[in-house]
Amino acid sequence: MEIFLVCLKLAGALAVFLFAMKLMSEGLQKYAGSKLRHILTKITGKPLSGILAGTGVTAIIQSSTATTVMTVGFAGAGLLTLGGAIAVVMGANIGTTVTAWIITLFGLGGGDSADKVPLMPMAIAAISLFFIFSKKNKMQYLGQTIVGLALLILGLGLMGDSVPPLDEDVAHSIAALGEYGYWSVLLFIVVGAILCIILQTSSAMTAVILLMASQNWINFPTAMALVIGQNLGTTLTAQVVAMTTGTTGKRTARAHLVFNVAGAIIFLIPFYPICHGVEYISGELDKLLPNIPPIPLAITVFHTLFNVVTTVILAFFIPQIVKIVTWMVPEKKEEGEEEFRLTYLTPNLLSTAELNIQSAKSEIEEFSKRVLRMYTFLPGLRTAKKDEEFEAIMERIAKYEGITDRMEMEISRFLTKVGSGDISEHGSERISTMLRIIDNLESIGDTIYQIAMTRQSKREDAVHFDAGLNANLEEMRGLVQKALDVMDRNLHDYDHVDLDAAYAAEHAINSCRDRLRKQHLDALKLGVYDYAIGNAYSSLYALYEKLGDYVINVSEAIDGSRKHSED
């Protein structure tokens, strides 16, 4: 019964710690989320920019897993080159060391949890100041971050109080496992990897290692081995997420694994000399930080050294890593473009709701590309000579129409889930914009299908247009094509939407429609063509104009989102 109570207390303390990490991470994401989305997508081809971006983003959101998962998604979306994505992952490993320093300096900096209780009034003050009295969202998000930090430190204190003194026999058994030289090191590397996989967060694993060391459960070499194992175990999440992405996303996830395995090998060979060197460095630091327990301080130094040195060394070998992962994940024969598949959205990304918006944006860009591709099939319906050729084009258009319906449904479902989470006001506005965009993109797909169906009815009824009518419809089709191209460009950069070009294209479509309608009414009065021809003709140019309305709606939605962002 006593053991059960101890386990229950430890589980509760760990739950407080994990909740605190989540609260702090989400607060930071919302505080800087709109900027973070651009950091990872504006990376140049130079490794240093990717490493710095990965380090900065991870230090801000306090989750290397979240950064790695986003990077895998962005690489799969074509927003990052493979080399750039690898550099970001390297930087994420450096950024995650910030967590270890926070835990060491603030969570283990002398005293027990009772000494840290005064931090709770700080959390309460933050709640009162930022959540109740502040009217600015940014200040509210900062308050959430401070509360998360306070709870994190409290959780660490509770974890320390929950761990009972180690039984002498157990201590002897653990010590005995460390007496087999490199075999012991390999054993604890495996243990560290397994524990990290179970906890599903390297931050929690770091806290556990530091706690075990502070309670004298493990010695420094054992802790070093666990840290190396933790770095291997944390790669699993990226591998799982990559299963739903394209080739580049899978290669990025493999690069994460290759990078961490290479780092483990680099540090494993001179393991004991490094151990002595780190103990010396931490001994010198201990003079400057006398209130920090020496072994946890040494572990934090090693954790930082491991990630920084590994990154510095392997940054020079990014081209070789690219070759390795390209060999590991060969280019597969592309699936048919006309198959339904969401490329950039995965349920795993929902853990970082504020930053999922970039993945949804990438999927919307793919949606637009599908719609534009669908539109290019229409001329073939007019020029098809044989029924088999006509039916084949109709089948492709019908298939694309089904794809647009499903894409609209799946992206809407994803955005709704993201929006139901804890997200900033700006993020919520961006989601509303995206929902409006995909609704209009789906309507564009429906209208293209209606044009195709009108063409099919015209063919079945043996209705034929003369050269003049065909030229008029071709003019209208070309104007709508220009509007679609402007829309597609605007979808790639919400911050620089070209609304003037969009309105110019819309005006050209409306002017052409007005002219064709006047000519059509005059032709009917003069009996130039019969009712069947006139009905099919007017239906087609009206549908093209209707397409233009949906197209301008997309650009207006983007522009509205941009203005909200500036306010």
Side-chain angles (χ1 to χ4, degrees):
M1 185 63 181
E2 185 177 349
I3 295 177
F4 174 76
L5 291 176
V6 169
C7 292
L8 193 62
K9 287 177 60 179
L10 187 57
L14 182 60
V16 171
F17 175 83
L18 293 174
F19 173 74
M21 285 296 301
K22 182 176 183 293
L23 192 67
M24 186 169 65
S25 176
E26 288 181 350
L28 287 166
Q29 285 183 44
K30 288 183 289 185
Y31 184 74
S34 59
K35 295 180 177 64
L36 293 179
R37 284 193 294 273
H38 296 287
I39 292 176
L40 294 180
T41 56
K42 300 298 182 183
I43 294 169
T44 67
K46 297 180 180 179
L48 181 60
S49 66
I51 292 171
L52 292 176
T55 301
V57 171
T58 304
I60 290 171
I61 67 175
Q62 285 295 292
S63 175
S64 62
T65 300
T67 303
T68 302
V69 166
M70 283 190 296
T71 304
V72 169
F74 292 169
L79 299 173
L80 291 173
T81 64
L82 180 57
I86 292 172
V88 173
V89 170
M90 290 179 172
N93 277 23
I94 296 177
T96 196
T97 62
V98 173
T99 304
W101 282 105
I102 290 174
I103 294 171
T104 301
L105 295 176
F106 299 103
L108 299 172
D112 54 23
S113 62
D115 299 323
K116 302 179 182 67
V117 172
L119 286 170
M120 291 311 297
M122 181 185 76
I124 297 172
I127 294 174
S128 300
L129 179 63
F130 295 111
F131 284 86
I132 298 176
F133 296 109
S134 177
K135 295 182 179 180
K136 295 182 178 180
N137 290 325
K138 289 284 187 180
M139 301 302 285
Q140 293 175 1
Y141 304 147
L142 185 59
Q144 179 179 338
T145 303
I146 295 174
V147 172
L149 178 61
L151 288 176
L152 182 144
I153 297 171
L154 177 65
L156 284 170
L158 293 174
M159 288 171 66
D161 291 345
S162 301
V163 177
L166 192 62
D167 183 85
E168 189 174 330
D169 293 334
V170 176
H172 179 74
S173 299
I174 295 176
L177 290 174
E179 294 176 355
Y180 299 99
Y182 276 98
W183 290 110
S184 296
V185 174
L186 292 174
L187 171 64
F188 284 109
I189 287 176
V190 172
V191 171
I194 293 173
L195 288 176
C196 190
I197 290 171
I198 292 172
L199 292 175
Q200 279 294 293
T201 165
S202 59
S203 297
M205 184 61 196
T206 300
V208 169
I209 294 172
L210 291 171
L211 181 63
M212 292 169 67
S214 67
Q215 297 289 331
N216 296 317
W217 280 32
I218 54 176
N219 57 23
F220 181 55
T222 298
M224 283 177 57
L226 289 173
V227 168
I228 295 174
Q230 164 201 305
N231 276 268
L232 296 177
T234 195
T235 63
L236 179 66
T237 303
Q239 307 304 316
V240 173
V241 170
M243 292 172 64
T244 60
T245 68
T247 300
T248 305
K250 289 182 174 67
R251 287 173 177 172
T252 303
R254 299 297 184 278
H256 187 212
L257 177 62
V258 169
F259 170 76
N260 282 12
V261 169
I265 294 172
I266 290 172
F267 274 74
L268 186 59
I269 296 172
F271 183 83
Y272 287 104
I274 290 175
C275 180
H276 296 313
V278 172
E279 286 179 326
Y280 172 78
I281 294 173
S282 60
E284 294 299 312
L285 285 175
D286 189 50
K287 297 176 183 177
L288 300 175
L289 303 168
N291 293 326
I292 307 298
I295 294 182
L297 179 61
I299 294 169
T300 304
V301 170
F302 172 74
H303 187 223
T304 304
L305 189 69
F306 175 86
N307 288 294
V308 172
V309 171
T310 301
T311 298
V312 170
I313 293 174
L314 294 181
F316 293 99
F317 296 94
I318 288 179
Q320 287 71 29
I321 295 176
V322 169
K323 291 180 180 179
I324 291 172
V325 298
T326 301
W327 171 77
M328 294 173 70
V329 185
E331 194 76 46
K332 292 184 179 180
K333 184 178 180 180
E334 288 295 324
E335 296 181 27
E337 190 184 49
E338 293 160 27
E339 296 300 324
F340 172 69
R341 179 186 63 191
L342 289 177
T343 308
Y344 313 121
L345 303 185
T346 65
N348 306 77
L349 293 178
L350 288 171
S351 60
T352 54
E354 185 69 26
L355 300 172
N356 283 332
I357 296 175
Q358 184 63 52
S359 298
K361 180 177 180 293
S362 300
E363 198 68 66
I364 291 172
E365 291 171 11
E366 177 68 18
F367 194 173
S368 176
K369 185 173 76 172
R370 295 282 187 127
V371 168
L372 265 67
R373 175 67 174 157
M374 182 182 180
Y375 188 72
T376 63
F377 299 150
L378 290 178
L381 294 176
R382 180 176 65 83
T383 59
K385 301 299 183 182
K386 297 181 179 180
D387 288 343
E388 293 80 4
E389 181 184 356
F390 185 91
E391 290 302 324
I393 297 173
M394 280 297 301
E395 185 177 342
R396 296 182 76 185
I397 292 175
K399 195 167 189 177
Y400 266 72
E401 199 275 334
I403 290 173
T404 60
D405 286 345
R406 283 177 283 173
M407 289 191 77
E408 191 268 342
M409 180 180 66
E410 292 297 335
I411 298 173
S412 295
R413 183 180 299 166
F414 181 85
L415 287 172
T416 301
K417 287 182 179 178
V418 174
S420 64
D422 197 4
I423 196 165
S424 69
E425 183 178 350
H426 174 65
S428 180
E429 291 170 352
R430 184 59 64 91
I431 288 173
S432 296
T433 295
M434 289 181 169
L435 289 171
R436 183 181 172 193
I437 289 171
I438 61 175
D439 178 62
N440 281 281
L441 287 176
E442 193 273 335
S443 295
I444 292 172
D446 285 346
T447 307
I448 294 172
Y449 183 65
Q450 290 174 29
I451 292 174
M453 292 296 292
T454 302
R455 285 281 184 184
Q456 184 177 48
S457 297
K458 169 183 169 295
R459 188 181 185 92
E460 291 172 351
D461 295 339
V463 174
H464 301 287
F465 296 156
D466 61 23
L469 297 183
N470 279 327
N472 289 340
L473 290 173
E474 181 59 25
E475 179 187 1
M476 186 66 118
R477 189 203 63 80
L479 292 173
V480 173
Q481 180 67 65
K482 290 179 181 178
L484 283 167
D485 292 338
V486 172
M487 177 199 76
D488 190 60
R489 289 197 300 271
N490 286 337
L491 279 171
H492 283 76
D493 190 353
Y494 288 14
D495 295 323
H496 300 91
V497 56
D498 190 350
L499 201 61
D500 290 337
Y503 279 133
E506 166 71 0
H507 177 72
I509 293 170
N510 289 339
S511 296
C512 184
R513 186 273 318 272
D514 293 341
R515 176 168 53 84
L516 296 185
R517 183 166 55 189
K518 183 178 184 304
Q519 292 174 355
H520 167 63
L521 294 175
D522 291 341
L524 286 178
K525 291 177 182 178
L526 297 173
V528 175
Y529 42 71
D530 61 25
Y531 173 80
I533 292 175
N535 184 56
Y537 176 63
S538 62
S539 295
L540 286 171
Y541 70 65
L543 284 170
Y544 277 116
E545 192 275 332
K546 185 179 179 182
L547 259 179
D549 290 341
Y550 292 129
V551 171
I552 192 63
N553 287 345
V554 172
S555 291
E556 286 179 337
I558 300 170
D559 186 63
S561 174
R562 179 180 65 83
K563 288 178 179 177
H564 278 302
S565 178
E566 292 173 351
D567 290 344

